[in-house]
Amino acid sequence: MTITGKTRVAGVMGWPVAHSRSPALHGYWLRRYAIDGAYIPLPVKPENLSAALRALPLLGFAGVNLTAPHKESALAIVDRADAQARRIGAANTVTVEADGTLSAINTDGFGFIENLRATIPAWKGGAGPAVVIGAGGAARAVVAALFDAGVAEVRLVNRTEARAGALAEALSGAVRVVPWSARAEALSGAALLVNATTLGQEGNPPLDLDLEPLPKTAIVYDIVYTPLETPLLRRAKASGHPTVDGLGMLLHQARPGFRVWFGKGTLDPEVTAGLRAEVAGGGAG
């Protein structure tokens, strides 16, 4: 990579951020499309987020992605956020506009649905109820995306039932909160199961869930991608379920930011097998 006086610069802000796969992801596209650009990790402590975001126009940045713990805090700092980011309560993509103001969007739901459709092209929102495990920021994006895609009923399961109730109240749509103790029963008649927690991620315990009540035609989607095949996906495959891993969600959610920062708003970068292989060898986030 050669840096010139015309290089477009973007990055990812997080704390910590060295583990992020986003530089490998955007770096792959920059090379593939021969774009004069650079994408760098930006370690920013939470107490410095406002100053760091406000410095972007002064430093000539095109924008940044946001990863933990900055996605929610950024909404109070940027000049504007789209309806989806406000609805979800978090932003993951910030663009520096021509006048130096900051615009934020949330592309996690977009990445979730695009990955699902790319992996299981026959999937339709009207196929039946979806069961979502978790009630954090990722789950909020997933539930919102499912409703937007035409899913009529979401059964939301979380170890802390009150948090699931707060999510259900915040998002319009038919969300039915299911107690953790009844999580297996919630699978009956479902067309899609989504693990939107970090259970099953490297270093964390696996998701404790009996898949027996889940119809064999139901899709099992785990947003965790380290490892690519989580214990949940391994068990689902062994039972004959179609499965979707979480890496594609990361790849697809990056497309809107790249298009604006480096593609002049017109180039929509492709998610290919080569990109998956490149990014699969890195860290997380």
Side-chain angles (χ1 to χ4, degrees):
M1 178 181 67
T2 301
I3 302 294
T4 74
K6 297 181 179 180
T7 299
R8 296 276 289 174
V9 181
V12 55
M13 284 186 184
W15 187 260
V17 77
H19 61 286
S20 175
R21 293 189 180 185
S22 292
L25 165 53
H26 287 273
Y28 180 94
W29 281 333
L30 289 170
R31 294 191 303 274
R32 180 177 181 189
Y33 298 108
I35 292 171
D36 184 6
Y39 185 99
I40 58 176
L42 299 166
V44 175
K45 293 180 179 180
E47 60 267 30
N48 295 331
L49 180 62
S50 180
L53 285 173
R54 286 298 168 193
L56 292 175
L58 306 178
L59 297 172
F61 272 71
V64 291
N65 284 124
L66 298 168
T67 189
H70 299 324
K71 291 185 178 184
E72 296 178 9
S73 303
L75 285 182
I77 299 169
V78 297
D79 298 294
R80 66 192 65 83
D82 72 349
Q84 190 73 333
R86 295 291 180 192
R87 178 185 180 196
I88 294 169
N92 72 337
T93 304
V94 174
T95 296
V96 178
E97 304 293 350
D99 62 359
T101 58
L102 303 177
S103 296
I105 61 175
N106 189 305
T107 66
D108 284 332
F110 169 82
F112 171 82
I113 290 292
E114 287 293 295
N115 184 38
L116 176 55
R117 288 174 170 157
T119 308
I120 314 286
W123 179 81
K124 302 294 182 186
V131 177
V132 176
I133 310 294
R140 291 175 72 97
V142 166
V143 172
L146 288 172
F147 282 137
D148 291 346
V151 174
E153 178 191 354
V154 172
R155 302 166 187 172
L156 187 64
V157 185
N158 192 57
R159 285 172 293 188
T160 306
E161 194 171 340
R163 193 172 186 191
L167 190 160
E169 186 176 346
L171 294 176
S172 58
V175 178
R176 179 161 70 89
V177 175
V178 178
W180 185 252
S181 60
R183 59 193 181 280
E185 292 92 325
L187 303 179
S188 180
L192 173 67
L193 166 64
V194 183
N195 175 34
T197 74
T198 57
L199 292 171
Q201 185 171 294
E202 290 176 358
N204 290 340
L207 174 63
D208 179 14
L209 180 63
D210 179 10
L211 297 180
E212 185 60 33
L214 187 68
K216 297 304 180 186
T217 55
I219 299 165
V220 178
Y221 188 150
D222 199 330
I223 70 167
V224 170
Y225 54 88
T226 52
L228 276 178
E229 186 175 84
T230 62
L232 173 65
L233 294 185
R234 193 177 308 117
R235 289 192 293 118
K237 284 183 179 179
S239 298
H241 294 281
T243 61
V244 182
D245 68 53
L247 181 59
M249 179 176 171
L250 172 71
L251 305 182
H252 284 285
Q253 65 79 31
R255 286 166 46 201
F258 188 92
R259 182 169 60 244
V260 173
W261 303 329
F262 301 115
K264 300 180 180 179
T266 58
L267 171 63
D268 190 4
E270 288 186 282
V271 173
T272 61
L275 176 63
R276 277 184 63 92
E278 175 89 5
V279 179

